């Protein structure tokens, strides 16, 4: 745990008692604060009270006497579409609102660092897609290189549940727009922007607000190095804003699909090869095509981001390349779970929408595609350009028949259940083909979440080995 600094004897309110909220309350108490808490859920409040936490209804003005700050969990709206009543009360009373990310950045450095030979560093990753894989890949590369490292934020461990830093440690944080939007302190040493596509627009008041929330990581924090994906105009704009000129290598531009020619520092992937260029000449190249844990152009962009971040930390290209080959990928994200009789089985249960499913379909050849679930508005018609490599589709769940109507000439069957889809794909697949779970739909018709759906697929595939 990282005790929060600068809160001794202050009364601090915590709104939301999920994973991050409970950890925040604990870290504040460890820093000497008097903590009061609130959650909209009666069961959650009961559990908090049983743990000895002091409840106070923060939607009522009488609860705010003497409160110095409100720390809110990331899922709670603070501005759009409208502030939560407790946050509205804080705004009315002039009480500062922050989140656990802000507390982390102001509390991470301690006097213990005076005895360190090498200062700890923080790498923070944001963007619309690829954040989790990029974060996990950077963490993996550091582990493989023997560097002390921790990973947290929006993935794995909450930031205040991390351990205090060791000498030369690198903390790798995935940060969502919900987290960057509100944090009052954002001071990473290296910051990464992967890409931008429309998401959470109601929460941010539109695409401009969404981009502004991501941009705060760079504008507020002033990282020593900024790694910026420039495949969208927002990334090009951000890189331009941060750079003092074409040769300013504090900004590393990255891309998947285009060659980046400049006199600065760039990392890009084209036709399966990653290239690093500095001062107008190539200094390193990596063949990504045979790396099982990073299939497809979207993962090649993740590889570029992780490569650039770890190069900025001083790692050598061959050290990074070796770690790429041992990276198994994140569960449920283009994860190869088995190769059986020359057939590759891939779990991309996280592909819950058309955009994510398209990236998965583009990553493989000769695909037997398991799709379906609780379909979203618009169906899968937008996937028509990506169906050319699909040998056959096996449709499951609530939207199976709706999806079938949008497949055109692509062969398919209504499999209904995951068990039937896996069994039929196993019986029909040929060596060299890939059986891909990329549902293009939510899981809630048959599973509580996409993780359980992916775990079920993986268990069924594992059973095929016996």
């Amino acid at each position: 745990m990282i005790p929060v600094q600068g809160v001794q004897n202050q009364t601090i309110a915590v709104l939301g008692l999920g994973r991050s909220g409970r950890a925040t309350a604990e870290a504040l108490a460890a820093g000497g604060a008097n903590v009061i808490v609130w959650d909209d859920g009666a069961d959650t409040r009961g559990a908090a009270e049983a743990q000895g936490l002091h409840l106070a209804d923060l939607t009522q003005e009488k609860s705010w006497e003497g409160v110095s700050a409100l720390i809110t969990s990331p899922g709670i709206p603070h501005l759009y579409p409208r502030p939560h009543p407790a946050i509205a009360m804080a705004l009315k009373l002039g009480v500062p609102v922050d989140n656990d990310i802000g507390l982390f950045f102001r509390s991470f450095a301690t006097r213990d660092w005076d005895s360190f030979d090498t200062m700890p560093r923080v790498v923070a990753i944001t963007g619309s897609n690829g954040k989790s894989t990029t974060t996990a890949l950077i963490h993996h590369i550091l582990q493989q290189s023997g560097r002390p490292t921790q990973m947290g934020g929006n993935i794995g461990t909450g930031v205040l549940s991390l351990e205090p830093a060791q000498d030369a440690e690198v903390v790798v944080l995935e940060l969502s727009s919900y987290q960057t939007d509100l944090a009052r302190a954002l001071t990473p040493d290296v910051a990464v922007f992967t890409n931008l596509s429309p998401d959470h627009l109601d929460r941010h008041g539109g695409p401009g607000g969404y981009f502004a929330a991501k941009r705060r990581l760079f504008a507020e924090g002033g990282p020593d190095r900024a790694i910026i994906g420039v495949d969208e105009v927002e990334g090009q704009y951000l890189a331009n804003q941060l750079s003092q000129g074409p040769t300013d290598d504090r900004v590393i531009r990255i891309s998947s699909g285009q060659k980046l020619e400049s006199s600065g520092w760039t990392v890009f992937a084209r036709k399966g090869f990653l290239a690093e260029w500095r001062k107008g000449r190539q200094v390193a190249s990596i063949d990504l095509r045979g790396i099982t844990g990073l299939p497809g152009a979207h993962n090649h962009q993740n590889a570029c981001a992780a490569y650039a971040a770890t190069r900025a930390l001083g790692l050598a290209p061959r050290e990074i390349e070796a770690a790429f080959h041992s990276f198994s990928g994140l569960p449920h994200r283009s994860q190869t779970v088995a190769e059986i009789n020359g057939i590759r089985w891939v779990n991309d249960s996280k592909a819950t929408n058309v955009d994510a499913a398209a990236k998965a379909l583009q990553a493989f050849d000769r695909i037997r595609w398991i799709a379906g679930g609780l379909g979203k508005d618009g169906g899968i018609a937008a996937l028509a350009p990506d169906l050319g490599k699909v040998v056959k589709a096996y449709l499951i769940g609530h939207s199976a028949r709706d999806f079938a109507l949008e497949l055109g000439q692509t062969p398919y069957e209504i499999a209904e259940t995951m068990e039937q889809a896996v069994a039929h794909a196993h019986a029909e697949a040929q060596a060299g083909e890939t059986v891909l779970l990329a549902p293009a739909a939510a899981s809630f018709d048959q599973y509580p979440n996409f993780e359980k759906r992916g775990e079920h697929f993986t268990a069924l595939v594992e059973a095929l080995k016996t």
Side-chain angles (χ1 to χ4, degrees):
M1 184 209 323
I2 297 175
V4 178
Q5 298 183 38
V7 294
Q8 185 78 30
N9 298 322
Q10 295 182 30
T11 298
I12 310 292
V14 174
L15 178 64
L17 296 172
R19 181 192 65 165
S20 67
R22 293 192 304 273
T24 297
E26 186 178 348
L28 284 164
N34 302 312
V35 181
I36 62 174
V37 301
W38 186 250
D39 191 282
D40 290 339
D43 290 345
T44 304
R45 293 198 301 269
E49 195 166 29
Q51 294 169 10
L53 295 174
H54 180 201
L55 290 172
D57 186 349
L58 296 174
T59 66
Q60 303 298 315
E61 188 167 343
K62 63 183 179 182
S63 298
W64 288 84
E65 185 176 352
V67 173
S68 299
L70 173 66
I71 311 302
T72 182
S73 294
I76 300 174
H78 61 271
L79 185 57
Y80 301 114
R82 64 188 61 84
H84 183 279
I87 296 177
M89 187 65 69
L91 300 178
K92 172 186 172 182
L93 298 174
V95 175
V97 181
D98 203 349
N99 62 16
D100 61 337
I101 304 302
L103 297 182
F104 167 84
F105 276 110
R106 84 183 208 195
S107 303
F108 184 53
T110 67
R111 293 190 180 277
D112 292 341
W113 291 23
D114 293 342
S115 64
F116 290 171
D117 292 327
T118 302
M119 290 297 100
R121 305 185 79 184
V122 177
V123 179
I125 300 93
T126 195
S128 296
N129 300 305
K131 296 188 300 296
S132 296
T133 296
T134 300
T135 301
L137 181 55
I138 292 170
H139 180 60
H140 175 78
I141 295 167
L142 292 166
Q143 285 180 315
Q144 294 300 301
S145 71
R147 295 282 292 273
T149 180
Q150 297 183 77
M151 178 176 70
N154 202 45
I155 182 175
T157 306
V159 289
L160 294 174
S161 295
L162 296 168
E163 294 300 318
Q166 304 176 41
D167 194 336
E169 185 165 52
V170 179
V171 172
V172 189
L173 301 179
E174 177 190 340
L175 299 182
S176 72
S177 59
Y178 291 0
Q179 294 170 310
T180 59
D181 196 18
L182 189 60
R184 296 170 73 92
L186 283 168
T187 53
D189 298 284
V190 178
V192 179
F193 176 87
T194 58
N195 50 55
L196 197 80
S197 60
D199 205 359
H200 310 306
L201 299 188
D202 59 334
R203 176 68 182 268
H204 295 293
Y210 178 52
F211 175 54
K214 300 288 189 185
R215 183 179 178 274
R216 287 191 78 245
L217 182 63
F218 303 85
E220 300 288 330
D224 296 334
R225 298 279 187 191
I227 291 118
I228 310 294
V230 294
D231 289 333
E232 295 87 28
V233 67
E234 292 87 355
Q236 297 166 19
Y237 172 80
L238 180 58
N240 184 276
Q241 288 266 296
L242 297 172
S243 174
Q244 294 299 313
T247 62
D248 185 356
D249 66 2
R250 295 174 303 169
V251 177
I252 307 174
R253 292 169 171 83
I254 64 168
S255 170
S256 176
Q258 59 175 317
K259 183 177 181 179
L260 299 179
E261 296 179 317
S262 81
S263 53
W265 193 350
T266 63
V267 179
F268 58 89
R270 291 181 71 229
K271 300 180 180 179
F273 287 86
L274 179 153
E276 177 188 5
W277 283 63
R278 297 190 72 172
K279 298 179 180 178
R281 65 185 184 88
Q282 183 172 318
V283 297
S285 177
I286 297 175
D287 185 350
L288 300 173
R289 294 172 299 175
I291 298 176
T292 305
L294 295 168
H298 61 303
N299 274 310
H300 292 175
Q301 185 187 55
N302 299 334
C304 288
Y307 178 95
T310 47
R311 285 288 282 144
L313 292 170
L315 275 65
R318 294 302 163 224
E319 197 174 11
I320 300 169
E321 181 178 8
F324 278 176
H325 282 279
S326 60
F327 181 66
S328 59
L330 284 179
H332 319 301
R333 297 166 173 85
S334 293
Q335 176 196 18
T336 297
V337 297
E339 290 198 18
I340 304 171
N341 300 325
I343 300 161
R344 185 176 184 178
W345 294 78
V346 176
N347 167 22
D348 202 344
S349 183
K350 183 66 165 63
T352 58
N353 58 43
V354 165
D355 288 343
K359 290 181 172 64
L361 290 169
Q362 293 161 11
F364 304 98
D365 295 313
R366 298 173 59 193
I367 299 166
R368 293 188 180 269
W369 179 33
I370 300 176
L374 192 60
K376 299 186 176 181
D377 290 346
I380 59 169
L383 289 175
D386 302 302
L387 298 179
K389 296 185 289 185
V390 176
V391 177
K392 183 177 180 179
Y394 303 80
L395 304 176
I396 64 173
H398 177 270
S399 297
R401 286 167 177 79
D402 293 334
F403 280 17
L405 297 174
E406 299 180 280
L407 287 176
Q409 300 301 310
T410 303
Y412 72 89
E413 69 171 79
I414 305 295
E416 300 285 2
T417 66
M418 187 72 75
E419 289 92 345
Q420 192 166 327
V422 169
H424 289 194
H426 176 58
E428 297 171 1
Q430 304 294 315
E433 294 180 345
T434 296
V435 181
L436 171 67
L437 170 65
S443 60
F444 305 124
D445 57 331
Q446 294 177 314
Y447 302 92
N449 50 52
F450 74 84
E451 291 95 342
K452 292 297 183 185
R453 177 170 60 190
E455 289 167 7
H456 188 204
F457 171 79
T458 300
L460 292 169
V461 174
E462 289 294 330
L464 299 176
K465 297 178 180 179
T466 59

